[in-house]
Amino acid sequence: MSKIAVIGGAGYIGSVVSHELRDMGHEVTIFDNFSTGHRRFVKDFDVFEGDIASTEDIHRFFSFYQPEALLHFAAKALVSEGEEKAVSYYRNNTLASMQLFLQAIESGCQRFIFSSTAAVYGIPKSTPIDEGVKLDPVNIYGKTKKSTEDFLFALAEKGLCQVISFRYFNAAGASSRYAVGEDHDPETHLIPNVCNAILQGKNLQIFGNDYQTQDGTCVRDFIHVDDLSRAHCLGLSYLLQDKDAKSQAINLGTTTGYSILEIVSQAKRLFGDFNFEYQDRRAGDPDNLVASNAKAKEILGWVPEHSLESILTSAMAWHKKTTSA
Ligand SMILES: NC(=O)c1ccc[n+]([C@@H]2O[C@H](COP(=O)([O-])OP(=O)(O)OC[C@H]3O[C@@H](n4cnc5c(N)ncnc54)[C@H](O)[C@@H]3O)[C@@H](O)[C@H]2O)c1
C-alpha cells in the first residue's frame, strides 16, 4: 500500500482512478479546486481543496502530505475554448503543472503519471498513431499538454523523476462500479451529448461534415473510462515496483476508429431514433485520431476490454439515472 496523490481527482477520469486505486489498497488523497469536478464523485475521500495555480496551496498540500506517487489529471480540456483563451490554458495546463511537479520533486515525490492527450499528435499522416510519431499539435490545448510532457521528460532525463505520460484518445462511457459518468459544463463530448439528445429530445449537433473521412465526419477512438482507469493502476504499479523503471509516453486507445455518423447509427440501433444537425467545424479538430496501443500492451500488459456498445450503454444508463435523480 502506498500514499498516492490524485490531482484533479474529483473529475470524470480522476475520480474513477481514485476509487480503483483505493480498492487496490492504496491510501488516496485528492487535490482539486472543483472548477469542473464533482463533490458527489469523491464523497468519502480525503480531499484537499486547492488550486494548482496557487503555489501556496501546493506548498501547503505537500507540507502535510508526503505522497510516494502523484497522478495529475487537473487541466482545462476544451479544444475550442483553448483557442479563445490561450493565456489561461498555458497558465493552468503548463505553468501551474510545472510548479506542481517541481514542488512534488522538492518534497521527495518523484513518481508521476500525467494525463496527456492524442491532441499532442496534431494531424497524423496515417493511423493508427504510435508513440514514435513526431508530436505536432495543431491546437492550444494539445500544445499546452506537449509543453508539460517535454518538461517532464527533461526532468526524467536528469534522473529527477520517473514519468508515465498517458496520451488518451477519447475517454467515454460510465463506470457503473463507481457511479461516475461524464458531466462537463459545457458538455462538448460526443457520447454524453448523444445521451442528452435522446433523453431530452434535442437535436445532436455534429460539427463539420467535410472532413477527409469515409462519411465526412470526424473519426475518433473511444476508450471506456474503466479501461483507462485500469491502465493507470498498471502504470502506477510499473513505477512503484522498480526504482529504475524507464519513463514512458503511452497511448491509451482501442485501435478502432468510429466516425461520428457511425456512433449516431449505433446509438439509434441501441436506443431508438433521434435527430441531429450539422454545424460548422470547430477550430482545432483533426480529421482522424486512432491509437496504436501496442506499447501499452507490451509495457503494461494492458488491453482494452470494453466495446463501443458497452461505452454507449453504460453512458446511457448513467445519464438516465442522473437525469431522473
Ligand atoms: N476526457 C477525455 O476524453 C480526455 C482525453 C484526453 C485527455 N484528457 C485529459 O485527462 C484529464 C482529465 O480529464 P477529465 O475529462 O476527467 O476532465 P474533468 O474536467 O472532469 O477533470 C479535471 C479535474 O481537474 C480539476 N482541476 C482543473 N483545474 C484545476 C486546478 N487549477 N487546480 C485544481 N484542480 C483543477 C477539476 O475541478 C476536475 O475535477 C485532463 O488533464 C484532460 O486534459 C481527457
Side-chain angles (χ1 to χ4, degrees), residues 7-15 31-38 41 50-53 72-77 92-93 96 114-119 141 145 166-172 182-184 189 228:
I7 315 298
Y12 167 50
I13 305 168
S15 62
F31 180 104
D32 205 295
N33 68 355
F34 292 98
S35 53
T36 56
H38 300 281
F41 290 173
D51 195 312
I52 56 165
H72 178 29
F73 296 90
K76 290 180 182 287
N92 201 55
N93 295 1
F114 175 59
S115 297
S116 188
T117 166
Y141 169 61
K145 290 283 183 173
F166 279 130
R167 296 176 183 155
Y168 316 155
F169 282 62
N170 286 61
E182 269 190 280
D183 184 5
H184 298 114
H189 291 169
L228 279 184

Side-chain angles (χ1 to χ4, degrees), residues 72-148:
H72 178 29
F73 296 90
K76 290 180 182 287
L78 303 176
V79 170
S80 25
E81 185 185 63
E83 300 305 294
E84 314 279 312
K85 297 182 178 167
V87 171
S88 139
Y89 268 61
Y90 270 107
R91 259 193 212 293
N92 201 55
N93 295 1
T94 306
L95 190 60
S97 294
M98 287 177 171
Q99 278 171 358
L100 170 75
F101 289 123
L102 291 178
Q103 184 65 57
I105 290 171
E106 282 170 359
S107 310
C109 172
Q110 299 171 308
R111 294 179 175 109
F112 303 139
I113 294 185
F114 175 59
S115 297
S116 188
T117 166
V120 296
Y121 292 113
I123 300 180
K125 292 199 173 55
S126 63
T127 56
I129 307 164
D130 69 42
E131 294 82 349
V133 169
K134 186 174 173 294
L135 304 189
D136 191 12
V138 293
N139 50 50
I140 292 292
Y141 169 61
K143 288 177 197 215
T144 62
K145 290 283 183 173
K146 177 181 181 297
S147 310
T148 310

Side-chain angles (χ1 to χ4, degrees), residues 200-215:
Q200 296 164 14
K202 289 184 188 156
N203 284 1
L204 174 74
Q205 313 291 313
I206 298 181
F207 298 95
N209 59 350
D210 57 352
Y211 286 93
Q212 295 298 307
T213 59
Q214 68 268 27
D215 58 28

Side-chain angles (χ1 to χ4, degrees), residues 7-24:
I7 315 298
Y12 167 50
I13 305 168
S15 62
V16 178
V17 175
S18 296
H19 278 278
E20 191 165 350
L21 291 177
R22 191 172 62 178
D23 283 355
M24 286 170 73

